[in-house]
Amino acid sequence: MSDRQEAKRATNGAIRSEQVIHRVEFAVPGSDTRVSKTYRLRAPTLGKLLDSEFPERRHLLSPWLRQQETAMVYAETGVGKSMFAASVALAVAGGGEFLGWRPKLREGERGYRVLYVDGEMHIQDIQDRMRVLIKAVPGVDLEAARGNLQVLARQHQEPGTEFPSITDPGGMQFYLEHVKTDKPDLVILDNFTTLGEVEDENAASSFNAIQAFLLGLKTCGVATILVHHAGKSGDFRGSSKLAATFETIVKLERPGQNKAMGEARFRVDWDKVRAGGPDAVLRPILAKLVSQPGGDDGEPMGAAWEHEAGDLERLEEISQMLQRGDFTTQTEIADFYGVTKQAVSKWVEKAERMALWTEDQRHRWHAKGKQMRRLGRTHAPVRPGLEDDDQEEDDTPF
């Protein structure tokens, strides 16, 4: 082949049409019926792809939720996953802050459009919850949130009304059509168990429908959060195949020794984070929803989210060592970490405020440590590496 023919062939390859159109005919499995279908797909060449400019996918909640991404939030019953999801909805819709995360907004923007789908709560309970959480999410533009956040609740419909399922073809089509028409930026589905149905949670094929639905929402340009339950193993219920489509998977679990249900208190862990960029470095967070009294003007009682990330690993380490009986006093904690007793007092106060342990538990753990020390079973703990440093100094000749 001549140089000219080679150049022509390369040029023809570079300017191939981006659209691929094929009409296919096939038999329906298990029947004699034949079906024809036309596919119209985009398939750019590498040159076309590299030369293309795509709109920026901004963070609906920085740094972990961007436009057109899917996330799953899961936890055991009673941990507070619906409180988490509703707070996310308010922060995104009203430009507020939740656990240190905020939406990235351009100048003049006041929030993003959110569709919140609830499968089990009474609409009045949702109303009460939103009224409390509005005050718990700092910086929320209430006027913007009132217009941006739409609530679709099963228990708000007329008796006998069929509610669309996220695993049924008709229900999935309903949501996709609604998204195309109303154009929300974020859809929150709370929760999978009440909004969809699978034949066998352990069978990977049972999750084909929900995966196709979530991918369909992506192609419509919308981000999605699926709220789900944890199983007996502590992982999310169902086949691991469900995880494939999510950019982010968030696990909420009760921290410490206090497992009381009925309060929103959890540790935020990141099972999966696919988002890119330096802002995507995510650390575990300890969060607690704290009730606050109403105002003197008759305003109803509110709430506030308290959260801790910076000292969390240290506090959890102290908790484990206290439970083992390693520390008999707070002075030993200060010596172990090389800080003042005042610093330890602040750590202890923070841990007890976040319900990582109670004051009574701490006293009992100190008593356990003293008893073990009297029996000669333990010694005052020393920071790792300190013995080696001392040995090196002893071995140094004068």
Side-chain angles (χ1 to χ4, degrees), residues 327-337 339-341 344 366:
F327 297 122
T328 62
T329 63
Q330 289 187 197
T331 300
E332 289 187 353
I333 300 176
D335 291 341
F336 181 81
Y337 287 100
V339 298
T340 64
K341 289 188 288 185
V344 173
H366 280 316

Side-chain angles (χ1 to χ4, degrees), residues 12-32:
N12 289 340
I15 61 173
R16 280 182 296 174
S17 172
E18 179 180 351
Q19 193 174 49
V20 175
I21 304 174
H22 288 296
R23 182 178 179 84
V24 299
E25 186 175 315
F26 55 94
V28 177
S31 72
D32 296 330

Side-chain angles (χ1 to χ4, degrees), residues 101-130:
W101 311 316
R102 297 189 68 97
K104 297 283 189 176
L105 299 169
R106 295 194 179 105
E107 185 176 355
E109 290 182 329
R110 301 170 62 190
Y112 294 97
R113 293 171 62 83
V114 180
L115 172 63
Y116 195 103
V117 186
D118 183 274
E120 61 180 329
M121 287 187 64
H122 192 282
I123 191 66
Q124 187 175 5
D125 293 334
I126 297 175
Q127 180 192 63
D128 293 340
R129 175 171 290 182
M130 290 297 182

Side-chain angles (χ1 to χ4, degrees), residues 318-334:
I318 293 172
S319 176
Q320 293 172 1
M321 296 181 74
L322 280 170
Q323 292 173 58
R324 291 200 305 260
D326 290 349
F327 297 122
T328 62
T329 63
Q330 289 187 197
T331 300
E332 289 187 353
I333 300 176

Side-chain angles (χ1 to χ4, degrees), residues 159-180:
T161 300
E162 181 180 357
F163 199 77
S165 168
I166 60 175
T167 53
D168 174 77
M172 290 188 284
Q173 192 62 35
F174 164 84
Y175 290 111
L176 292 173
E177 290 297 327
H178 183 67
V179 163
K180 292 176 184 177

Side-chain angles (χ1 to χ4, degrees), residues 31 62-63 67 123 127 131-132 146 175 212-213 220 235 284-285 288-289 325 333 350 359 364 371 385 397:
S31 72
S62 180
Q67 292 172 316
I123 191 66
Q127 180 192 63
R131 283 175 172 169
V132 170
R146 288 174 67 102
Y175 290 111
F213 174 55
C220 289
D235 202 351
I285 296 174
K288 181 182 180 182
L289 185 64
I333 300 176
K350 183 184 296 183
E359 183 179 7
R364 284 192 282 109
Q371 183 180 15

Side-chain angles (χ1 to χ4, degrees), residues 195-272:
L195 294 175
E197 186 176 355
V198 293
E199 291 184 3
D200 182 359
E201 286 190 343
N202 297 317
S205 59
S206 295
F207 294 88
N208 290 341
I210 185 64
Q211 279 194 311
F213 174 55
L214 294 171
L215 290 171
L217 289 172
K218 277 187 180 182
T219 60
C220 289
V222 65
T224 307
I225 294 177
L226 178 66
V227 181
H228 196 21
H229 285 86
K232 293 180 180 179
S233 65
D235 202 351
F236 59 84
R237 284 171 50 181
S239 168
S240 59
K241 180 178 181 179
L242 182 60
T245 189
F246 297 107
E247 277 78 17
T248 305
I249 299 179
V250 183
K251 180 179 182 179
L252 310 179
E253 59 181 346
R254 297 187 187 94
Q257 297 292 302
N258 307 306
K259 305 297 184 181
M261 293 178 60
E263 61 176 7
R265 183 176 60 85
F266 44 74
R267 175 191 168 109
V268 180
D269 280 319
W270 307 92
D271 281 6
K272 176 181 178 182

